[in-house]
Amino acid sequence: MKKKRLIIALMFLSAGFSTIYGQEWVAPESEAAVVNPLPFNNATVREGKAVYEKNCKSCHGDPGKNNPIVLTPPPPDMASEKMLANTDGSIFWKLNTGRGAMPTFKGTITDDQMWQVINFIRKFDPRNAGKLTEEALKKGTLAATINSDSTSLDITADFQGAPLAGVPVFVQVKKAFGMLDIGKVVTDANGKAIFRIPDGTAGNAEGKADFVLTFGDEFEKTQAEVQGIKVAKPVTDNPLARGNVLWSTNDRTSGWLLFAYFFVTGLVWLTILYIVIQITKIKKAGQKN
Amino acid sequence: MDNQNTRRNFLKTAGIALGCLGLAVPERVIGSGNKVLDAEGDTITLLTPGGQLVKVEKSKLKPAELPSLTENQKRGREGLPIRAWVMVIDLSKCRNARKCMAACQAHHQLRPEQHHMNTLQMQDAEHTAPYYMPKNCQHCDNPPCTKVCPVNATFKRSDGIVLIDNERCIGCRFCIAACPYSARVFNWFEPRDAEKYKDVVYDIEANVPQKKGTISKCLFSADLLRAGKLPSCVSACPNGVYWFGDQNEDAVTNGTTKETTRFSKLLKDNAGYTLMEELGTKPRVYYLPPKNRAFPFEGEMQKHE
């Protein structure tokens, strides 16, 4: 009976799916006509790429590589003709609405982020070929030292002796499996900046932190490191290292527990022994009489 | 005279035996090498920690300094210094891809029905929304399981990981009874690919090779952590469910996006919680509630009426 019901349910379900997926997913005309408010440039495409990798890539795969996850129907490749035939407005509408396995991203990412993603997808549109000129990466060198009382980093940014003014420098702390962003400073006219280490910056168990400084994406990859700066109190007491056992092999058992056990057991045995001695005494006394 | 004869005979036999042993040694070395499976001609077949077989040219191999079984067991008992590992599982991201389970079973030589990591379908009350919940060993700071072990086979390390030594385990299953999270599995049968792992030296930090009649459990992929890598479930997740890191550093890294964030802030902003905190087990695995899920629940809840 249960099986029958399940089969019927499955039939209905599959019928439902086929009717949904049989139809083309078309945005209403008014929505499809909405124009992307963001300019199509390197900055928005770069932002869009970051949003795409975090929210979309797990299903849709890498654009142009046709490597989506296995789903029926398969999530379309972002660089496919079918995908790029959508207007910006209709992609925006689809991101907001969702259908079947494609969730709605309303509330998950902001409108701006959606437009950024759309710009990133448009990068693969052949109509946009040549529109994005790859800017040559700027060059620069970074140097940093810690000030005398370990509260701030003195940063110098220059290129071949000339100071780099008004350049953002990103500060990160090295952690076990990645880099933790802790802030950003902009260099002044002399190419110098002072980064105050925020209160509550966590170090490792020894209270020390390794700082890594980098320029933004428009620069060639370069970084400066300031290592082993004391930022917090070391963790002196590690409760995890204490053996936490009630009763186990002798070398792991707490002393008080072993003592208590042997003391009580000994007491019981002594009592029994005393009683046995007393009984034998009574017996001997009886034999005398 | 008879006496001398026997001594001479004895020495002769001993000499021959020693010689044979000497001849046998190179073979033994290859046979006992960690994860070496088969050697023929110029190539050699190796088993990667991910459970895949690869063929490598012999000339490209360098002899590695492999810890012996005893050294491995000793090293495995001491945690990685200055670390306190924590895991954060974001339930709002889990959509039952089950990639974590597959990666875990491949890494730890587990049969399909054995789970160090299991994705459960949860519904807390009749009218609440169902959700998926990956559940592994909670690596409690106050573990009930280690306290009941009569042979000191399971223990808590200074970096927070609860491990089991399959060489010591006698299979009494007291720890299974003690664990409130049902995190431990028992090897009732020969483990998966037993033949393939037959000559592999036991690694306490991966529980590989598994042994029939002993307990196995999640160990945060301690062998990978020693190598500076994220646990296999964490890096296998396609949906950004897992965060993993060092509590001493107050930082956790997402296995999917590789984004690093502050552990305390992540818990504070998302109202993180631990499972069955009323038991006082103090888990090292934290959960973020399944709110704002951007996908439908596709499972079928079983009715227990």
Side-chain angles (χ1 to χ4, degrees):
Chain A
M1 189 61 202
K2 248 191 174 171
K3 245 187 192 169
K4 229 183 213 171
R5 229 187 279 166
L6 190 76
I7 291 168
I8 291 169
L10 276 176
M11 275 167 69
F12 266 100
L13 207 66
S14 57
F17 270 125
S18 58
T19 47
I20 291 178
Y21 295 120
Q23 293 166 2
E24 275 298 306
W25 192 19
V26 187
E29 262 177 46
S30 59
E31 299 287 344
V34 176
V35 182
N36 192 339
L38 297 183
F40 182 68
N41 61 24
N42 279 323
T44 55
V45 167
R46 197 160 49 225
E47 295 286 332
K49 189 182 176 194
V51 180
Y52 181 86
E53 281 178 355
K54 212 169 152 185
N55 297 285
C56 323
K57 195 182 157 180
S58 61
C59 288
H60 288 280
D62 304 295
K65 289 195 181 161
N66 218 351
N67 57 352
I69 59 162
V70 183
L71 271 180
T72 333
D77 189 287
M78 287 301 123
S80 64
E81 253 177 65
K82 193 181 166 192
M83 185 70 219
L84 293 170
N86 285 294
T87 62
D88 285 1
S90 74
I91 302 177
F92 183 74
W93 177 80
K94 286 174 183 182
L95 283 173
N96 270 297
T97 332
R99 185 179 77 158
M102 165 79 184
T104 161
F105 282 90
K106 200 177 181 175
T108 317
I109 58 176
T110 63
D111 285 4
D112 260 4
Q113 285 176 317
M114 289 188 199
W115 290 119
Q116 286 163 354
V117 166
I118 292 166
N119 269 354
F120 171 65
I121 296 168
R122 284 282 169 243
K123 190 184 150 190
F124 301 96
D125 198 329
R127 284 170 291 180
N128 280 338
K131 273 197 190 169
L132 276 187
T133 42
E134 279 295 322
E135 303 159 26
L137 291 175
K138 294 183 209 161
K139 287 174 186 170
T141 45
L142 258 179
T145 50
I146 188 83
N147 75 345
S148 53
D149 54 350
S150 293
T151 51
S152 56
L153 296 164
D154 299 327
I155 301 162
T156 320
D158 61 54
F159 178 56
Q160 292 176 344
L164 292 174
V167 173
V169 176
F170 298 89
V171 185
Q172 295 174 307
V173 177
K174 254 191 210 169
K175 297 291 182 186
F177 301 106
M179 301 288 206
L180 179 69
D181 297 324
I182 57 162
K184 172 184 126 170
V185 277
V186 180
T187 56
D188 61 12
N190 301 323
K192 290 197 187 299
I194 292 173
F195 178 78
R196 255 196 69 79
I197 297 171
D199 290 334
T201 300
N204 56 14
E206 288 160 349
K208 289 181 178 169
D210 297 342
F211 292 93
V212 177
L213 297 98
T214 46
F215 289 128
D217 281 348
E218 63 271 27
F219 276 86
E220 263 183 23
K221 230 181 177 169
T222 171
Q223 63 180 44
E225 287 191 29
V226 186
Q227 289 181 336
I229 306 304
K230 207 162 172 5
V231 289
K233 278 185 189 155
V235 183
T236 44
D237 177 40
N238 183 4
L240 301 176
R242 274 183 237 138
N244 201 345
V245 198
L246 197 61
W247 192 272
S248 182
T249 46
N250 279 355
D251 53 328
R252 286 211 307 169
T253 309
S254 332
W256 67 268
L257 194 58
L258 278 179
F259 174 77
Y261 172 76
F262 285 116
F263 182 74
V264 172
T265 321
L267 220 61
V268 170
W269 275 110
L270 284 176
T271 317
I272 295 170
L273 198 70
Y274 178 73
I275 292 168
V276 170
I277 291 167
Q278 293 306 313
I279 290 173
T280 39
K281 271 185 186 168
I282 293 170
K283 205 180 170 187
K284 272 181 189 164
Q287 277 166 355
K288 267 183 199 166
N289 295 337
Chain B
M1 277 304 270
D2 273 353
N3 245 353
Q4 267 187 356
N5 258 345
T6 31
R7 187 177 295 149
R8 189 172 296 152
N9 280 343
F10 167 71
L11 286 174
K12 217 186 262 173
T13 342
I16 290 165
L18 272 175
C20 287
L21 209 67
L23 281 177
V25 160
E27 277 303 303
R28 289 288 305 153
V29 167
I30 292 171
S32 68
N34 201 2
K35 331 237 156 150
V36 174
L37 289 180
D38 179 27
E40 46 176 327
D42 296 336
T43 60
I44 195 161
T45 314
L46 300 172
L47 183 70
T48 64
Q52 289 189 327
L53 292 176
V54 283
K55 279 203 168 173
V56 184
E57 271 180 49
K58 263 185 188 169
S59 54
K60 286 188 181 167
L61 290 177
K62 266 186 254 162
E65 280 180 29
L66 295 169
S68 71
L69 177 59
T70 10
E71 277 167 37
N72 189 309
Q73 280 174 297
K74 206 178 146 203
R75 190 178 77 169
R77 286 209 169 234
E78 290 156 15
L80 297 172
I82 70 166
R83 295 293 189 196
W85 304 116
V86 277
M87 183 185 261
V88 181
I89 300 179
D90 187 351
L91 297 178
S92 67
K93 296 276 163 55
C94 180
R95 50 193 307 176
N96 204 23
R98 294 171 104 79
K99 296 274 190 266
C100 52
M101 293 165 64
C104 173
Q105 288 180 329
H107 182 182
H108 301 299
Q109 199 201 347
L110 295 172
R111 295 165 68 93
E113 72 275 14
Q114 293 178 305
H115 303 290
H116 284 180
M117 171 63 79
N118 197 358
T119 309
L120 306 171
Q121 303 191 356
M122 303 292 285
Q123 188 172 22
D124 296 340
E126 198 187 341
H127 298 296
T128 59
Y131 58 93
Y132 299 109
M133 187 178 88
K135 186 221 67 188
N136 55 335
C137 170
Q138 305 292 304
H139 295 276
C140 309
D141 280 354
N142 183 17
C145 53
T146 59
K147 294 171 190 169
V148 296
C149 182
V151 291
N152 194 6
T154 186
F155 54 92
K156 173 120 185 138
R157 300 201 316 192
S158 65
D159 58 357
I161 306 179
V162 176
L163 277 169
I164 174 127
D165 185 347
N166 291 87
E167 293 282 338
R168 278 191 84 101
C169 178
I170 54 169
C172 69
R173 285 169 274 136
F174 283 7
C175 52
I176 288 194
C179 175
Y181 303 100
S182 305
R184 290 169 174 259
V185 293
F186 188 68
N187 282 307
W188 289 101
F189 307 100
E190 280 300 335
R192 160 188 176 171
D193 303 330
E195 198 51 31
K196 202 162 105 177
Y197 285 86
K198 153 170 117 283
D199 293 328
V200 176
V201 175
Y202 174 69
D203 184 355
I204 191 173
E205 289 180 331
N207 273 192
V208 169
Q210 298 280 358
K211 285 182 176 56
K212 185 181 171 182
T214 62
I215 302 284
S216 183
K217 67 178 289 299
C218 162
L219 13 74
F220 273 170
S221 298
D223 54 335
L224 293 183
L225 293 179
R226 191 175 284 280
K229 292 180 192 149
L230 288 167
S232 39
C233 51
V234 174
S235 39
C237 178
N239 295 321
V241 174
Y242 297 101
W243 297 84
F244 194 87
D246 180 1
Q247 192 178 14
N248 287 336
E249 287 184 344
D250 194 23
V252 281
T253 301
N254 192 297
T256 313
T257 61
K258 302 287 183 267
E259 182 189 352
T260 301
T261 188
R262 288 194 75 146
F263 168 67
S264 51
K265 190 169 183 296
L266 186 70
L267 292 189
K268 202 176 163 190
D269 290 353
N270 295 287
Y273 64 96
T274 56
L275 293 184
M276 300 187 199
E277 86 289 350
E278 68 274 15
L279 297 178
T281 47
K282 298 184 191 147
R284 293 202 83 75
V285 177
Y286 292 80
Y287 284 87
L288 305 183
K291 53 156 197 181
N292 291 342
R293 277 167 297 152
F295 52 88
F297 180 86
E298 278 154 358
E300 197 185 320
M301 291 311 294
Q302 283 177 333
K303 288 247 155 58
H304 301 288
E305 287 163 38

